[in-house]
Amino acid sequence: MDGAYHPSEAAHALDRDCTTLSRHVLQQLQSFGPEAQDLSALMNRIALAGKLIARRLTNAGLLEAALGFTGETNVQGEAVKKMDVFANDVFISVFKQSGLVCRLASEEMENPYYIPENCPIGRYTLLYDPIDGSSNVDINLNVGSIFSIRRQEGDDLDQTGADLLQHGRGQLAAGYILYGPSTVLVYSIGRGVHAFTLDDSLGEFILASENIRVPEHGSNYSVNEGNFWQWDESIRDFIRYVHRHEGYSARYSGALVGDFHRILLQGGVFLYPGTTKKPDGKLRLLYETAPLAFLMEQAGGSASTGTQPILDVVPKEIHQRTPLVIGSTEDVKLVESFIQERLREKEYLTRTS
Ligand code: AHM
Ligand code: MG
C-alpha cells in the first residue's frame, strides 16, 4: 500500500458492501428486460417476507401468542404451530402486493391459494415451506423458509394447479432463508448459488458469498439415526460404513435448511430416506426437496431419491413426498452404491427363487 487514495479500490469496497439482492438478480441476468425485472421484484418480495419472519422470530419469546401450537392439523397430518400460520400468511400478504404471482402453494395449504386480483396477469407461482423445521421454533434454534418460483403454464381455469406437477428442472428460481444467528438468504436463478446476509441496520440482504461450490466430498453425514430400524437395509449399510471409517461426523439439527446449509458450505451428505411407515420419507418434493436439489446441482453437488435425480421426479400430487439424499457428489454416489447393491441382490434372489 502506498497510502495514496485510489478511487477504484474505494469503489470496489463499496460495491462489495452494497450489492443488494434485487441488484444482484439484474446483474446475473445482464438485462433490464421484463423477465429480469419480474425476477428481481419477486426476489425482493421473498426478501421482505424473510425480514418480517425474522423479526417475529427474534421477538417471539416476548410476544403473546407467537409460540406453541394452534391446535389444528395440516394437510400432512402434522400439528400446526402458530409460527407456521404467521409465516404462511406473511408470504401471501407480500405476494398479494406483487401483482406478479397468481398462485401460491405451500406445505400449510391443502390446495393452491389464488390471488384473484393478480390473475390472470401474474404468470408466476410461488411454492414454499413457510417455516421448515418448526419443531425448533419453541426452543429458539434455527429454522428456515424454502421457496421455488415457477412460471404458470396454461390458464389453469379449473384452479387445480395441474401444471405444477412437473419435474424440478423447470424451476425459474429456488432458495431458502435461514433464520440462525444471522438471517441468510441463499438463492439461484440457474446461474450459480449466492448467499446474502441480512444487515439489520440497513434492513437489506447484502451479498456475502457468490458462486458457492460444494466440496466433492465432505465429512458430515446428516440423518435422523433414530429411524435406523425403520430404514431399508441399504441405508443401514451406509451408516455402518461411516461408523467403521474414520473421519465422519454426525450433524443433525432436525431442521432441514440449517442441515442443508452446512452441507452446502462444508460438504458431506444429508439423508431423509423412506421408512417402514413412510416409504417416500417425510420431505415434500415441490417446496422442499426440488428447490434444494436445484441449489445443490447449481453448486456442483447432487440430489437423488437414492435411485433417480430429484429434479427428474414428476409428482402426481402437490404434496408428494420423496426420499432425499443430497450433498457432495462423491458422498451421494456412495449412498446410491449401497442402494444399488441391495437392489441387485433383491433382483438376483427374485430371479433364482
Ligand atoms: P416440517 O416442514 O413439518 O418442519 O418437517 C420437515 C422437517 C425438516 O426440516 C427436517 O429435516 C425433518 O423434518 C426432521 O424430521 P425428523 O424429526 O423426523 O428427523
Ligand atoms: Mg418442511
Side-chain angles (χ1 to χ4, degrees):
M1 292 295 285
D2 56 9
Y5 176 71
H6 295 284
S8 59
E9 275 174 25
H12 178 73
L14 188 65
D15 207 28
R16 194 183 142 69
D17 288 341
C18 292
T19 301
T20 58
L21 185 58
S22 46
R23 183 172 148 206
H24 194 258
V25 174
L26 295 172
Q27 274 173 0
Q28 287 268 297
L29 294 168
Q30 294 179 334
S31 154
F32 283 95
E35 177 145 317
Q37 297 282 357
D38 285 358
L39 276 177
S40 168
L42 289 166
M43 287 308 305
N44 231 346
R45 292 274 119 190
I46 287 169
L48 176 59
K51 288 181 229 175
L52 290 164
I53 295 167
R55 187 176 66 179
R56 179 90 170 173
L57 284 168
T58 305
N59 299 318
L62 302 172
L63 301 172
E64 290 254 332
L67 298 177
F69 292 95
T70 62
E72 307 283 307
T73 305
N74 69 11
V75 57
Q76 332 281 340
E78 292 156 358
V80 176
K81 295 221 150 159
K82 291 174 187 163
M83 272 309 299
D84 290 323
V85 176
F86 173 83
N88 194 55
D89 291 350
V90 162
F91 275 96
I92 292 176
S93 99
V94 303
F95 277 96
K96 266 191 179 159
Q97 300 154 13
S98 74
L100 294 166
V101 166
C102 160
R103 303 178 300 200
L104 297 98
S106 105
E107 179 176 321
E108 301 305 328
M109 301 185 289
E110 185 163 2
N111 298 310
Y113 181 96
Y114 289 80
I115 304 174
E117 58 268 38
N118 293 357
C119 305
I121 297 153
R123 300 302 294 168
Y124 301 95
T125 295
L126 181 82
L127 297 122
Y128 65 112
D129 183 354
I131 294 279
D132 184 72
S134 48
S135 77
N136 276 9
V137 164
D138 293 343
I139 49 168
N140 192 29
L141 292 183
N142 69 288
V143 287
S145 302
I146 307 175
F147 62 87
S148 162
I149 297 170
R150 296 191 184 222
R151 193 179 285 107
Q152 181 174 324
E153 284 173 21
D155 289 329
D156 190 18
L157 292 176
D158 55 359
Q159 300 210 334
T160 56
D163 63 296
L164 294 172
L165 304 180
Q166 292 197 37
H167 59 69
R169 302 204 182 272
Q171 295 174 92
L172 290 176
Y176 57 83
I177 302 154
L178 170 61
Y179 310 101
S182 50
T183 303
V184 172
L185 187 153
V186 176
Y187 89 108
S188 176
I189 48 173
R191 295 169 190 226
V193 178
H194 318 288
F196 291 70
T197 298
L198 180 60
D199 181 328
D200 280 322
S201 61
L202 296 173
E204 286 274 13
F205 281 100
I206 302 294
L207 182 62
S209 0
E210 226 173 353
N211 293 314
I212 297 170
R213 304 296 294 171
V214 62
E216 281 184 18
H217 162 68
S219 59
N220 300 297
Y221 74 99
S222 188
V223 66
N224 185 347
E225 283 195 55
N227 292 332
F228 190 85
W229 291 108
Q230 314 304 317
W231 296 329
D232 185 73
E233 196 60 33
S234 56
I235 305 297
R236 290 201 280 271
D237 289 341
F238 169 71
I239 296 300
R240 288 185 191 109
Y241 175 93
V242 299
H243 286 177
R244 285 174 190 152
H245 287 76
E246 223 178 290
Y248 283 97
S249 289
R251 293 285 183 269
Y252 191 74
S253 73
L256 174 61
V257 172
D259 290 331
F260 177 91
H261 194 65
R262 178 192 291 277
I263 302 286
L264 180 70
L265 299 185
Q266 300 179 341
V269 64
F270 174 96
L271 301 96
Y272 207 111
T275 59
T276 16
K277 279 198 197 129
K278 292 184 176 160
D280 290 325
K282 179 178 183 190
L283 304 172
R284 276 66 39 132
L285 179 69
L286 288 179
Y287 42 82
E288 290 178 324
T289 63
L292 297 185
F294 187 80
L295 291 174
M296 193 48 89
E297 285 204 4
Q298 282 292 318
S302 306
S304 159
T305 61
T307 52
Q308 160 184 37
I310 290 280
L311 292 181
D312 289 343
V313 178
V314 177
K316 291 196 177 65
E317 50 124 356
I318 284 177
H319 298 289
Q320 184 166 316
R321 298 171 196 262
T322 49
L324 178 66
V325 182
I326 193 164
S328 300
T329 298
E330 275 182 26
D331 299 292
V332 171
K333 271 197 190 134
L334 180 65
V335 177
E336 285 177 329
S337 71
F338 284 106
I339 294 171
Q340 285 309 326
E341 204 174 307
R342 287 285 176 180
L343 281 175
R344 278 196 297 273
E345 217 175 271
K346 277 182 201 157
E347 268 165 34
Y348 175 77
L349 288 173
T350 335
R351 263 206 323 274
T352 54
S353 63

